[in-house]
Amino acid sequence: MLSLNIFQQSKSTFLISRHLMPLVIVTVLSLLSSVGMFGLMFYPAQDRFNQTNALLETVQQTQTQTKVAKQTQGIIATTWKGLSDYREFMDLSLDIANLGKRNHVVIPGMGYDFKPLSHKLAAKGTFAFEAQGNYQAIRKFIYELEKRWPYLFIEKLSVESSKKKNGVLFKVTVSTFLKEFPQAHKKTKIL
């Protein structure tokens, strides 16, 4: 009632307040409806934004994984092309012997073996041999062996003094992966 008494103190204040009261009510209702509309529009839009952001992150991760997978496939394809088949592997023994001769390293003989791998995609080929000569020549031979055939790995390497000459005797086992396992040739009868 106090507020009504204030408006009733003067006739002009009372007339103004009578005309302003509907405007105040309309303003309050407008503000309430604006706040309600804001709530009804903002929160669903915020949810859609968060969902879109999560989807974007998922797509970017998938894109990165796809890019890495393509790069890995390229590396695998290059590596696969670099691997030899068992026929080239057999020729490799002659190349290793020639490399030894060029470096003044004696390789009296060489044995080889093929082993299938568990996944059956490739095979493992292994050479075992002795290399005899002075230490510097053998060191250069091993360096060139690793440099020339990057897919050839030294599995075992042991050294001892050579009893025949003033030098060293290295026992070396090298291996590589082959594209295919050598198939046993079927025997055919000749008529």
Side-chain angles (χ1 to χ4, degrees):
M1 291 280 179
L2 185 60
S3 61
L4 291 176
N5 288 339
I6 294 174
F7 288 123
Q8 290 178 358
Q9 291 177 359
S10 78
K11 204 175 197 189
S12 61
T13 307
F14 180 70
L15 287 175
I16 292 173
S17 68
R18 227 173 83 198
H19 293 292
L20 285 179
M21 196 53 87
L23 283 175
V24 168
I25 292 172
V26 168
T27 304
V28 168
L29 288 175
S30 295
L31 285 173
L32 288 175
S33 67
S34 295
V35 168
M37 288 304 288
F38 174 77
L40 288 174
M41 305 269 304
F42 177 75
Y43 293 112
Q46 186 71 28
D47 287 343
R48 283 192 312 272
F49 176 75
N50 290 337
Q51 289 173 352
T52 305
N53 232 4
L55 182 63
L56 175 66
E57 287 177 14
T58 303
V59 168
Q60 286 175 337
Q61 287 175 352
T62 303
Q63 182 182 18
T64 302
Q65 291 171 349
T66 303
K67 184 178 179 181
V68 168
K70 284 184 179 181
Q71 289 173 344
T72 303
Q73 285 177 340
I75 291 169
I76 289 172
T78 303
T79 303
W80 189 257
K81 286 179 185 176
L83 295 179
S84 59
D85 62 8
Y86 72 92
R87 289 174 210 88
E88 293 169 345
F89 179 74
M90 298 306 295
D91 293 339
L92 185 61
S93 65
L94 298 174
D95 293 338
I96 291 173
N98 289 335
L99 180 66
K101 284 179 187 176
R102 278 196 308 263
N103 288 300
H104 307 291
V105 172
V106 178
I107 301 175
M110 191 175 299
Y112 66 90
D113 187 27
F114 296 108
K115 294 178 186 172
L117 298 176
S118 60
H119 52 70
K120 308 273 192 235
L121 293 176
K124 181 180 176 183
T126 304
F127 286 118
F129 58 92
E130 292 181 353
Q132 189 173 0
N134 68 29
Y135 179 77
Q136 289 80 14
I138 291 180
R139 191 177 76 156
K140 185 178 178 188
F141 166 74
I142 290 173
Y143 172 77
E144 288 182 18
L145 181 76
E146 289 180 326
K147 185 178 176 186
R148 185 167 176 194
W149 297 287
Y151 299 114
L152 195 64
F153 303 99
I154 297 177
E155 282 188 2
K156 293 179 186 175
L157 182 66
S158 63
V159 64
E160 58 188 56
S161 294
S162 176
K163 296 174 184 167
K164 295 179 182 177
K165 296 181 180 179
N166 291 338
V168 290
L169 176 69
F170 273 75
K171 293 181 180 178
V172 183
T173 303
V174 293
S175 65
T176 188
F177 295 101
L178 307 171
K179 291 180 186 178
E180 58 188 20
F181 189 76
Q183 301 296 324
H185 296 292
K186 294 183 179 179
K187 294 181 180 179
T188 56
K189 290 185 179 181
I190 299 176
L191 298 174

